[in-house]
Amino acid sequence: MTSTSYLAHYRNVDSANHSVITHLVETSLFAKKFAGKIGLDLLGELLGLLHDLGKYSFEFQCYIKSSVGILRPGDKYYVDAERLRGKIDHSTAGAQWIYEALKDTVKINKLSAEIVSLCVLSHHSGLIDVFDISGEDKFSARLNKDLSKTHYCEVQEKIDPAISEHITELIKSEDRLKQLRRMISQMHELFSDPVRQFLKGLLLRFLFSSLVDADRLSTANFENPDDAKLRYLGNYPDWQKLIYCFEQISFEVVSEIDKKRSEISSSCRQRASDKQGLYYLTVPTGGGKTFSSLRFALHHAKEHELERIIYVIPYTSIIDQNASKVAKIFDSISKDIVLEYHSNLVPEKDTYRNRILSILSENWDAPIVFTTSVQFLETLFGGGTRNVRRMHQLAKSVIIFDEIQTLPIKTVHLFNNAINFLTNFCSTTVVFCTATQPLLHGVEPSKGAVPYSDAMEIVDYPPLFNALKRVKVLDCQKSKGWTEEELSERVKVLLHDKGSVLVVTNTKTNAKRLYEFCNSLTEKVFHLSTNMCPKHRKEILGKMLECLDPSDSKPIVCISTQLIEAGVDVDFGAVIRCLAGLDSIAQAAGRCNRNGRHNDLGIVEIINLRNENLDKLPEIRIAQDVTLRILDEYKQNPAYFHNDIIGHKAMERFYKYYFYKRAYEMSYPIARNILGRDDDLLSLLSTNQQSVDEHKRKHGSPSLYLRQSFKTAGKYFRVIDAPTEAIIVPFNEEAKSIIAKLSAKISLNEERALLKSAQQYSVNIFPYMIQKLHDEKALFQTYDVSEIWHLDMQYYSKDFGVSMELVTPMELLNV
């Protein structure tokens, strides 16, 4: 057989062959480019050439030709492809090649062999454990797999000579060695264990990302050549064009708040030419952080020739709002400048079809990306291959974390170490944006803390809190707590006095009850919940903004969960906040008198609900306790807090107490009843000491430099403790049409386009809700996308979104 006769993939529509040699070269070029962002292009190239060498084997060729119909039943070498799917090893041979070549060389070369081998072995399954929790060396076991089963010798005979020679050249390359040695040396200079080992794990994951995305791109481009023409691949419009569009925006300056916003924006512009690194943008809510940070990012990206800007936002509700605002600025250049990604609709199950769908929708190939904190953290720490592909896109970027205070406490050390990796080794600039800056630099440094100095603050923030003070915060708690009925009466009074009232509760149950009590107070009573799809929330926000327009304001009440607190641009005369963390109270206060249009201060009242059930929300209970302590200290000495219970002094004190109280959670602990021992993800992804000790007890000291339990850590990593699943809801006629089309047999391209549109009609719900809806027979599978479900229209309410019970005909959504 000639080298081009060995198939990697086959295209049924035109019987085209994607040869192994072509796939290896394409993958190596992509991986070289991606890994080159951090100066490891030669390692990336080597990964691409090694990853699929097992496809040269006779066994694999019989399998693929049988699966696509080249070989048919009755033919001499025909096999049952369905039975063999996923069972023919075509990744171990490449790992064995480099490990065998470098296992007895100098330390840095052996480390590079471990890194490359592990990436190659794992490129379909997700990163495997080096040592598992029982202390077994899974990595060596895989490398020592029988050569007849990995086809190593057969590959050596059949591989194209040019590929073989180039692999050998790269393995022997001194330049490849220098590239890796330079990075590892820097890690050793700047950090000590366990952080140093954690960073090596992130380095490996970055290279793994480069390989996985390169592999998927080569495959997807062959399967869908038309899509290949649409990819940016980093070739975006010149930043100067985007800057020109942005600088054309004119903001009316009619108040002191407008003036301060303009000053903040000017400071961001001035600091944009500074060196890359970590920055803090600490601005009171309503100070215009989104556009100011974008101004910094655009000019900074141009100054340092960066590839993209990534906005990381905690909730889909504000992605909807902010992404559309930013996209409008650049419409004259292209409709594709801004990518809004937050969907979980593409399944994780690693089927061929899902890999294609995933690469087309998720590799963040756009100049400006809006995504969620969940997606960002899954990219860095999640298991499998779906999310990790995007990690290399974080290099050479400006990453803006809007409302950084919402970072899950259990991820603090993992997150801090990732930020240090990105800013020290990936030519990435990071900006922490918030009115309530958490003390991520004040946590245990030996486990991972970010740096801080006054020079890293983009604006001089303390004076801003006085200049932008627009509300008066009152502690209105009762000894026995408020009932929803009592609270509705208080809403009625404030509505009369202030014209508009926002109430923020900690639970959906309390929000729903209060909405029912308040529903008759005025014609305009709204409810917001994450049980609503983005399109539904967007429509409600649009109606609310019309009512709140100062030129034609109408009496309005909004009952919401905390989703409204992070960046939603609304301006109420009064806000009632159920007792929570002081950071949440400050964020809720940011929705009150936001634009300073009222002559007097807005009113923010802190209340406690009598029947609030926080059994499933212990972090809110802890935050409440700390807030009560701060409120008590404030009463005793308000001057210390500059007479501002939500000012920067109060926030510093709140986080000091809060972080101290929850310090034990910051390494992402995993309980014995889950893992089989008490441990944490920080350890599993760094020194993995307990696993190594167990290995020593059973087998003696290990010779491997890598120690991590990558697969185990990925299995247990969850940004949200109760993982959610996305379902598509029949909100309107467009949503119903999408569901109908997805439920028919359609092409891959049609499916991809429909899933993208379906993001606006998806709701992430918890497992108990999924089970209840299944019991109600209210969920249905789509035709081909069997892991994606859609909701019976009778279980979607115009007031509350997804309902666990049948919605009565009078409540059915009719839009």
Side-chain angles (χ1 to χ4, degrees):
M1 293 178 67
T2 63
S3 61
T4 55
S5 300
Y6 294 100
L7 291 187
H9 309 100
Y10 181 81
R11 193 165 59 221
N12 285 308
V13 292
D14 59 0
S15 302
N17 296 342
H18 196 208
S19 68
V20 174
I21 185 173
T22 300
H23 177 55
L24 293 178
V25 170
E26 287 175 352
T27 302
S28 71
L29 292 176
F30 279 131
K32 180 179 183 179
K33 178 179 180 180
F34 300 154
K37 300 175 191 177
I38 60 171
L40 299 177
D41 57 299
L42 298 181
L43 269 178
E45 187 177 11
L46 184 56
L47 282 167
L49 292 175
L50 290 170
H51 82 289
D52 268 357
L53 289 185
K55 288 186 175 181
Y56 277 107
S57 72
F58 178 74
E59 186 180 18
F60 182 85
Q61 290 302 308
C62 291
Y63 157 74
I64 191 170
K65 289 175 182 178
S66 299
S67 69
V68 300
I70 295 175
L71 293 176
R72 300 178 182 277
D75 289 346
K76 183 176 180 181
Y77 297 115
Y78 175 81
V79 296
D80 184 349
E82 191 59 38
R83 181 180 62 83
L84 292 173
R85 187 179 299 276
K87 296 179 180 178
I88 299 176
D89 188 339
H90 60 269
S91 58
T92 305
Q96 289 175 326
W97 186 336
I98 186 171
Y99 199 76
E100 184 65 25
L102 297 178
K103 66 179 182 180
D104 296 322
T105 55
V106 295
K107 179 178 178 179
I108 192 69
N109 235 339
K110 188 179 177 187
L111 175 62
S112 73
E114 290 180 16
I115 290 172
V116 172
S117 298
L118 194 65
C119 290
V120 170
L121 289 172
S122 306
H123 78 273
H124 281 301
S125 63
L127 285 171
I128 66 172
D129 289 339
V130 179
F131 294 100
D132 68 10
I133 60 169
S134 68
E136 293 305 314
D137 180 353
K138 293 293 185 181
F139 175 61
S140 295
R142 180 74 179 274
L143 282 173
N144 293 327
K145 188 175 179 179
D146 189 283
L147 297 183
S148 64
K149 293 181 179 179
T150 67
H151 314 287
Y152 177 77
C153 298
E154 186 181 1
V155 166
Q156 294 284 330
E157 293 175 3
K158 293 180 176 178
I159 188 172
D160 184 89
I163 297 290
S164 177
E165 289 170 12
H166 196 33
I167 289 172
T168 301
E169 178 185 321
L170 287 169
I171 288 176
K172 294 180 177 179
S173 169
E174 281 297 318
D175 288 337
R176 176 191 59 78
L177 203 59
K178 288 177 183 177
Q179 288 177 352
L180 182 60
R181 181 183 285 116
R182 183 164 51 246
M183 181 170 285
I184 297 300
S185 296
Q186 189 178 355
M187 287 181 183
H188 280 251
E189 288 171 11
L190 297 175
F191 303 97
S192 57
D193 283 341
V195 172
R196 181 191 298 161
Q197 287 300 113
F198 191 92
L199 296 179
K200 289 177 185 176
L202 284 175
L203 167 61
L204 186 150
R205 188 175 175 91
F206 187 98
L207 290 167
F208 183 61
S209 168
S210 301
L211 172 60
V212 172
D213 198 25
D215 178 31
R216 304 302 193 258
L217 271 172
S218 171
T219 303
N221 287 351
F222 169 74
E223 279 291 319
N224 298 277
D226 290 340
D227 284 325
K229 299 172 186 175
L230 301 176
R231 300 191 200 285
Y232 277 120
L233 294 176
N235 298 312
Y236 307 131
D238 187 83
W239 287 118
Q240 188 55 53
K241 292 182 180 178
L242 274 63
I243 289 170
Y244 177 80
C245 286
F246 180 85
E247 296 295 346
Q248 299 309 301
I249 304 171
S250 60
F251 297 100
E252 192 177 10
V253 179
V254 296
S255 67
E256 280 300 309
I257 287 178
D258 294 330
K259 184 179 178 181
K260 287 297 176 184
R261 288 171 180 162
S262 179
E263 291 173 4
I264 292 165
S265 177
S266 295
S267 294
C268 287
R269 172 65 186 92
Q270 292 168 13
R271 294 295 302 275
S273 59
D274 288 2
K275 67 180 182 179
Q276 287 195 261
L278 173 62
Y279 290 90
Y280 295 78
L281 182 57
T282 310
V283 174
T285 303
K289 293 188 297 295
T290 300
F291 282 107
S292 293
S293 60
L294 177 60
R295 193 178 193 191
F296 171 89
L298 287 168
H299 288 278
H300 192 76
K302 178 178 181 293
E303 176 76 19
H304 297 283
E305 299 181 349
L306 305 181
E307 291 188 358
R308 68 183 46 79
I309 297 166
I310 301 173
Y311 270 88
V312 182
I313 295 178
Y315 306 121
T316 57
S317 56
I318 35 176
I319 285 188
D320 305 333
Q321 174 181 267
N322 293 352
S324 60
K325 283 184 178 180
V326 172
K328 285 178 183 177
I329 298 173
F330 307 113
D331 272 354
S332 61
I333 298 176
S334 171
K335 299 290 184 183
D336 298 321
I337 296 296
V338 175
L339 170 67
E340 180 182 343
Y341 181 75
H342 51 76
S343 175
N344 290 317
L345 286 174
V346 178
E348 169 60 32
K349 189 175 179 181
D350 194 24
T351 65
Y352 175 73
R353 187 179 185 89
N354 288 343
R355 288 201 299 273
I356 300 298
L357 283 169
S358 198
I359 187 60
L360 293 175
S361 62
E362 291 187 40
N363 74 332
W364 291 356
D365 185 14
I368 300 177
V369 177
F370 278 80
T371 192
T372 62
S373 305
V374 170
Q375 293 297 328
F376 179 82
L377 290 168
E378 287 284 354
T379 295
L380 288 166
F381 307 115
T385 59
R386 171 182 162 193
N387 296 304
V388 70
R389 284 200 335 269
R390 304 187 294 256
M391 183 180 174
H392 73 86
Q393 303 285 42
L394 304 179
K396 298 193 71 175
S397 297
V398 182
I399 306 177
I400 299 167
F401 291 91
D402 200 10
E403 311 300 353
I404 184 62
Q405 81 285 349
T406 61
L407 179 73
I409 198 79
K410 64 186 178 182
T411 68
V412 163
H413 289 307
L414 306 185
F415 175 82
N416 285 347
N417 289 325
I419 296 304
N420 287 332
F421 175 74
L422 291 169
T423 53
N424 282 286
F425 305 104
C426 299
S427 300
T428 298
T429 291
V430 170
V431 182
F432 290 165
C433 280
T434 184
T436 53
Q437 201 73 246
L439 306 178
L440 296 178
H441 56 282
V443 298
E444 176 56 49
S446 66
K447 295 181 178 180
V450 293
Y452 178 83
S453 70
D454 288 342
M456 299 162 75
E457 292 281 0
I458 294 178
V459 298
D460 184 15
Y461 70 90
L464 289 174
F465 281 82
N466 290 327
L468 293 176
K469 186 173 182 178
R470 308 178 302 279
V471 300
K472 183 178 182 180
V473 180
L474 303 172
D475 184 356
C476 298
Q477 297 178 87
K478 292 183 176 183
S479 58
K480 294 183 178 180
W482 293 69
T483 66
E484 278 91 356
E485 186 173 9
E486 291 171 339
L487 190 53
S488 68
E489 290 300 313
R490 181 57 187 158
V491 171
K492 184 177 180 179
V493 172
L494 286 173
L495 183 64
H496 178 270
D497 292 345
K498 295 293 186 179
S500 59
V501 183
L502 168 65
V503 186
V504 183
T505 67
N506 292 317
T507 72
K508 294 175 185 176
T509 301
N510 290 129
K512 185 175 180 180
R513 286 180 189 154
L514 184 59
Y515 174 83
E516 290 167 344
F517 275 111
C518 293
N519 205 19
S520 60
L521 293 181
T522 176
E523 290 183 6
K524 304 296 182 183
V525 180
F526 298 98
H527 175 260
L528 279 175
S529 166
T530 53
N531 279 352
M532 298 169 173
C533 68
K535 185 73 170 179
H536 193 174
R537 291 196 302 264
K538 196 178 293 185
E539 288 194 5
I540 289 176
L541 282 168
K543 293 174 182 177
M544 284 169 49
L545 290 172
E546 287 179 10
C547 295
L548 292 168
D549 190 325
S551 64
D552 187 27
S553 58
K554 300 178 181 67
I556 173 179
V557 174
C558 177
I559 314 297
S560 176
T561 54
Q562 53 264 49
L563 70 89
I564 201 170
E565 290 176 346
V568 180
D569 191 3
V570 289
D571 189 355
F572 285 84
V575 169
I576 297 174
R577 182 54 167 99
C578 294
L579 181 66
L582 199 63
D583 56 335
S584 295
I585 293 168
Q587 293 295 333
R591 314 310 128 194
C592 182
N593 195 19
R594 186 177 180 88
N595 295 310
R597 295 192 178 103
H598 304 283
N599 293 327
D600 53 351
L601 292 174
I603 296 296
V604 177
E605 297 185 348
I606 305 170
I607 62 96
N608 53 332
L609 279 174
R610 183 178 301 179
N611 63 349
E612 185 178 63
N613 183 356
L614 298 178
D615 290 346
K616 294 181 179 179
L617 299 168
E619 68 280 0
I620 294 180
R621 180 73 73 191
I622 294 171
Q624 286 180 334
D625 292 342
V626 176
T627 297
L628 290 172
R629 181 177 177 182
I630 299 293
L631 290 172
D632 184 60
E633 291 182 6
Y634 181 82
K635 289 174 186 175
Q636 297 178 38
N637 186 9
Y640 174 82
F641 298 96
H642 300 164
N643 298 301
D644 188 354
I645 191 55
I646 57 171
H648 70 278
K649 274 288 185 183
M651 282 303 132
E652 287 178 358
R653 182 67 61 90
F654 170 79
Y655 278 116
K656 179 180 178 182
Y657 293 160
Y658 183 67
F659 276 12
Y660 177 80
K661 199 162 191 172
R662 301 191 67 184
Y664 70 96
E665 297 178 58
M666 293 182 181
S667 299
Y668 204 126
I670 309 176
R672 181 179 296 272
N673 64 327
I674 296 174
L675 188 63
R677 71 184 191 214
D678 293 319
D679 209 336
D680 57 63
L681 291 195
L682 179 65
S683 173
L684 290 178
L685 292 171
S686 57
T687 58
N688 201 13
Q689 194 60 53
Q690 291 191 61
S691 296
V692 172
D693 288 344
E694 187 63 17
H695 180 85
K696 287 180 181 178
R697 188 183 69 80
K698 293 178 177 179
H699 309 291
S701 296
S703 60
L704 296 172
Y705 295 117
L706 296 173
R707 308 290 174 91
Q708 291 89 338
S709 290
F710 292 111
K711 183 177 180 179
T712 301
K715 177 182 178 181
Y716 293 112
F717 179 79
R718 295 287 184 277
V719 181
I720 303 170
D721 287 328
T724 58
E725 183 176 338
I727 62 172
I728 306 173
V729 299
F731 171 64
N732 58 17
E733 293 304 318
E734 182 183 11
K736 294 172 188 175
S737 174
I738 290 171
I739 290 169
K741 290 174 182 176
L742 281 171
S743 299
K745 190 168 180 63
I746 54 177
S747 71
L748 190 65
N749 283 338
E750 289 174 309
E751 187 178 323
R752 187 238 330 193
L754 287 168
L755 287 176
K756 184 176 181 180
S757 299
Q759 288 190 55
Q760 289 298 309
Y761 301 106
S762 67
V763 177
N764 292 321
I765 60 178
F766 293 103
Y768 79 90
M769 299 171 70
I770 290 281
Q771 187 57 54
K772 180 71 164 59
L773 289 171
H774 277 304
D775 293 342
E776 293 282 326
K777 295 182 170 51
L779 288 177
F780 304 94
Q781 286 180 308
T782 56
Y783 181 85
D784 263 335
V785 195
S786 59
E787 294 176 73
I788 294 178
W789 298 80
H790 61 89
L791 185 69
D792 186 319
M793 65 182 296
Q794 296 181 88
Y795 287 79
Y796 195 85
S797 163
K798 67 180 178 63
D799 294 324
F800 307 113
V802 175
S803 172
M804 295 297 98
E805 300 173 348
L806 189 69
V807 180
T808 63
M810 290 296 292
E811 292 178 311
L812 283 177
L813 200 64
N814 185 22
V815 292

